[in-house]
Amino acid sequence: MSKIFHLLVGHLIDGTGGPIKRNVLLSVEEDCIRSAKEMRPEALAKVKDTAIEDLSHCTLLPGLVDAHVHLTMSGTNDMQFRQKQLTFGYTEAAPLISKHLHQHLSHGIVAVRDGGDSNGHTLRYKLEDPLFKGYPIHLKAAGKAWHAPGRYGRLIGRTPLEGLTLAESITQENRQSDHIKIINSGLNSLKHFGKETPPQFHVSELKAAVQAGLEHHLKTMVHANGILPVAQALEAACHSIEHGFFMGKTNLEKMAEMGRFWVPTACTMKAYSEELPAGAQELDIARQNLEHQLDQIAYARKTGVLLAVGTDSGGLGIHHGASIVEELKLFIAAGFSLEGVIQCCSANGSKLIGLSDVLGEIRSGAAATFVITAGPPSCLPDALNKPERVYVNGNMISGAH
Ligand SMILES: [Zn+2]
């Protein structure tokens, strides 16, 4: 006998960006959604007589994707611990990674894309740690990110190997990675608003690097802020721009035309503006950076850029799991509807990380991976801080709520 169950939910956000549906009967068979049908009031009265579980006070949405995290780092503002976690050996890092994955799952996040750590601990954890075996979350890991000698990136990666080009280094070192991560600019300045840093690599190096990744069927994510670093990453046909602060309208238009993803990580600047001491000059710049990024997100939405939601969790004040709520709110502040931002955080995210066949939309035949939150959609995104239930492949995940 196959396992079948039925849930009646008050509202459904299906992940396609389409309108929210009312009174939906969701039927699950084994690990798949068999159907998701909107019920008319007459039919609803009959349904309530049966053994179907009544969750009509709840909203159901697809399992979410955080497309940019750093699992070896916590978002703590304890500066001593922040320093210490960078030097952790694998045995100290592994339990921290487990804890962070649990924090993601308990906010309805069922897939994360890691943007790198300097020791490659997260990739090792994914490949061989018994703690991860059977854990109900999709983890995609870059391993070590790549940065140019003398430039920003030591915290999350390494420079190309001695005597080898960036592309050759990728071919040699990224055999087991899920994607490639390249850093092609500096960080945002908190001293001078909008100050840009030069690209880290030449466009020909970037082109060869993206090509080297493609030869192993790997996509390339590029950390890039500022007009030129982003323009060069796009010229190299990278698959996603990470952060993209101050990239400008022309780059956004190009991204829409090329169908490339943007992961704006706006909550990083919100976190800074909350963590920095009152009156600090940096506080003011962080706020201006955030405002500018929200304007860029608004323009990207109008222009048709594919956006995915990523948080940069692990950065200062950016907590795994909880920060997705902040990022969703910022997309909404920039003009996205709730349905629209959930699409960015489900269907778009799963497409970016190569999981659209198993994740991202609530439709018949899709995997039964979804989140149920208390209350109507107006309680979102906050309701994700404590979902009623999280299901992965038809199984209710205990301890995830
Ligand atoms: Zn990052």
Side-chain angles (χ1 to χ4, degrees):
M1 274 260 295
S2 61
K3 181 184 83 176
I4 296 176
F5 63 90
H6 311 275
L7 306 172
L8 178 64
V9 294
H11 295 86
L12 169 75
I13 302 173
D14 68 6
T16 64
I20 296 172
K21 297 187 176 108
R22 292 293 314 269
N23 302 318
V24 172
L25 182 65
L26 186 92
S27 299
V28 173
E29 184 168 1
E30 295 296 348
D31 55 356
C32 281
I33 295 168
R34 192 161 72 176
S35 61
K37 286 185 206 142
E38 231 169 334
M39 307 294 288
R40 278 200 293 271
E42 328 72 90
L44 202 59
K46 282 185 210 154
V47 161
K48 290 201 173 178
D49 292 339
T50 74
I52 291 163
E53 201 173 352
D54 186 359
L55 297 170
S56 48
H57 62 294
C58 291
T59 301
L60 188 144
L61 56 156
L64 301 177
V65 178
D66 188 334
H68 191 132
V69 303
H70 296 277
L71 288 171
T72 57
M73 291 190 273
S74 94
T76 179
N77 59 8
D78 173 342
M79 294 321 260
Q80 253 180 334
F81 186 79
R82 291 200 69 75
Q83 270 308 316
K84 216 166 122 192
Q85 65 187 355
L86 296 174
T87 61
F88 277 168
Y90 182 75
T91 46
E92 292 161 296
L96 200 58
I97 296 172
S98 296
K99 180 181 157 193
H100 295 153
L101 283 174
H102 179 74
Q103 289 170 338
H104 282 286
L105 199 54
S106 63
H107 288 80
I109 297 163
V110 297
V112 295
R113 183 177 62 150
D114 193 274
D117 63 274
S118 58
N119 297 298
H121 290 329
T122 299
L123 181 59
R124 176 173 170 192
Y125 178 90
K126 179 197 165 156
L127 293 172
E128 53 184 65
D129 204 297
L131 287 170
F132 187 60
K133 249 193 164 29
Y135 196 73
I137 202 163
H138 294 275
L139 166 56
K140 299 281 187 178
K144 298 173 187 176
W146 297 103
H147 69 93
R151 295 291 308 273
Y152 163 74
R154 199 163 45 85
L155 303 182
I156 57 169
R158 58 162 304 161
T159 54
L161 307 176
E162 188 78 38
L164 296 186
T165 64
L166 175 62
E168 288 164 350
S169 302
I170 286 170
T171 302
Q172 187 162 317
E173 291 289 303
N174 283 100
R175 285 164 213 260
Q176 293 184 298
S177 312
D178 295 307
H179 50 265
I180 314 292
K181 169 77 181 289
I182 298 173
I183 302 166
N184 196 40
S185 75
L187 290 172
N188 273 319
S189 173
L190 291 177
K191 296 249 181 261
H192 305 281
F193 175 69
K195 186 178 176 207
E196 297 187 18
T197 53
Q200 295 204 12
F201 295 100
H202 191 271
V203 69
S204 61
E205 291 177 283
L206 293 172
K207 277 184 183 170
V210 171
Q211 200 50 45
L214 284 176
E215 275 158 28
H216 297 91
H217 308 287
L218 302 179
K219 290 181 178 174
T220 298
M221 63 192 283
V222 179
H223 162 125
N225 295 313
I227 293 171
L228 194 57
V230 171
Q232 294 194 345
L234 291 176
E235 199 182 330
C238 76
H239 299 86
S240 67
I241 296 293
E242 309 296 313
H243 319 302
F245 286 85
F246 306 105
M247 73 161 104
K249 289 184 175 176
T250 307
N251 277 322
L252 286 166
E253 287 155 13
K254 182 127 197 251
M255 291 186 78
E257 196 186 298
M258 292 172 72
R260 288 321 198 239
F261 281 90
W262 181 31
V263 185
T265 67
C267 67
T268 53
M269 288 301 138
K270 180 153 190 289
Y272 273 134
S273 68
E274 283 162 2
E275 294 292 335
L276 291 165
Q281 183 211 2
E282 289 89 344
L283 181 76
D284 203 36
I285 301 286
R287 284 189 186 139
Q288 288 181 53
N289 288 347
L290 174 60
E291 284 308 312
H292 190 273
Q293 191 73 329
L294 295 188
D295 288 347
Q296 290 203 133
I297 294 173
Y299 188 74
R301 186 181 71 83
K302 283 191 205 130
T303 317
V305 177
L306 290 165
L307 283 111
V309 175
T311 57
D312 215 7
S313 285
L316 177 65
I318 314 163
H319 303 287
H320 291 274
S323 59
I324 203 92
V325 175
E326 298 303 323
E327 191 68 9
L328 293 173
K329 284 183 185 173
L330 292 173
F331 271 55
I332 291 168
F336 269 91
S337 64
L338 182 61
E339 303 92 303
V341 72
I342 295 299
Q343 180 188 19
C344 295
C345 198
S346 56
N348 287 8
S350 54
K351 193 173 170 205
L352 171 60
I353 67 175
L355 291 173
S356 52
D357 50 340
V358 288
L359 275 187
E361 288 179 14
I362 303 296
R363 56 176 160 76
S364 49
T369 297
F370 49 83
V371 187
I372 296 174
T373 56
S378 58
C379 295
L380 287 164
D382 282 306
L384 285 164
N385 280 316
K386 206 172 184 302
E388 290 271 302
R389 299 179 185 182
V390 177
Y391 285 84
V392 175
N393 296 327
N395 297 311
M396 185 156 56
I397 304 303
S398 62
H401 46 91

